[in-house]
Amino acid sequence: RSWTSPPLALDSRCKFTESFTNTHTMAPPTKAKKANVFVVDCAKPVEDKIMDISSFETFLAERIKVGGKAGALGDVVSVSADKTKVTVTSDAPMSKRYLKYLTKKFLKKHNVRDWLRVIASNKDRSVYELRYFNIADQEDEEA
């Protein structure tokens, strides 16, 4: 059996439309990239003068890796600080977990890791908070 032409329509009830645009060679539609904004809220340790917010800001600026190089932030990542908050804005893909890792590293370096922990905020999931461990609860359980 040989076909003289490819069967485009089997009968009049079948509708067959052929698209002449090649989707593989066309450029994908461009979306405006949304910047990742992460915040570390250091209100409690800064109020108690356990932690200096400016040293934390410089620590993050020196340690954040972009393209495999630490400290080379360029225009891709920016680190800024308020009175009690440090904000990291990234145009490149960056995980929130990486910011938590660096925050814990800073706390360990300054020997306050035993008293402070890094927790995601209940209100806004792009915010980490530094909180004290609940030592009073543990003492109540032991008694």
Side-chain angles (χ1 to χ4, degrees):
R1 207 180 202 195
S2 67
W3 295 92
T4 56
S5 65
L8 292 180
L10 298 175
D11 60 23
S12 61
R13 288 177 286 171
C14 296
K15 292 182 180 178
F16 183 83
T17 57
E18 197 170 304
S19 175
F20 291 103
T21 59
N22 189 351
T23 56
H24 297 291
T25 59
M26 292 176 57
T30 56
K31 287 185 179 179
K33 284 204 170 190
K34 189 176 148 186
N36 296 326
V37 178
F38 303 112
V39 177
V40 181
D41 186 7
C42 310
K44 293 177 182 177
V46 169
E47 288 171 3
D48 295 340
K49 296 183 176 145
I50 292 177
M51 186 176 143
D52 183 28
I53 199 85
S54 62
S55 65
F56 182 50
E57 178 188 11
T58 55
F59 178 85
L60 287 178
E62 291 171 356
R63 298 293 174 102
I64 291 178
K65 286 187 178 181
V66 177
K69 295 185 178 181
L73 300 181
D75 297 334
V76 179
V77 178
S78 64
V79 181
S80 60
D82 300 350
K83 291 182 180 180
T84 60
K85 294 182 181 182
V86 174
T87 306
V88 178
T89 307
S90 173
D91 293 332
M94 182 176 151
S95 69
K96 183 179 156 192
R97 181 87 181 149
Y98 180 58
L99 188 62
K100 182 176 184 176
Y101 161 76
L102 289 174
T103 305
K104 288 165 81 171
K105 198 169 185 171
F106 175 81
L107 294 176
K108 184 70 175 173
K109 181 180 175 185
H110 291 277
N111 299 321
V112 291
R113 178 82 179 94
D114 296 334
W115 295 282
L116 293 170
R117 61 184 183 160
V118 185
I119 300 178
S121 174
N122 290 331
K123 299 169 191 117
D124 188 6
R125 298 313 269 175
S126 66
V127 176
Y128 276 124
E129 293 179 4
L130 295 181
R131 291 189 187 172
Y132 291 104
F133 283 110
N134 293 333
I135 300 170
D137 293 344
Q138 293 174 358
E139 289 176 359
D140 292 341
E141 290 174 4
E142 292 174 3

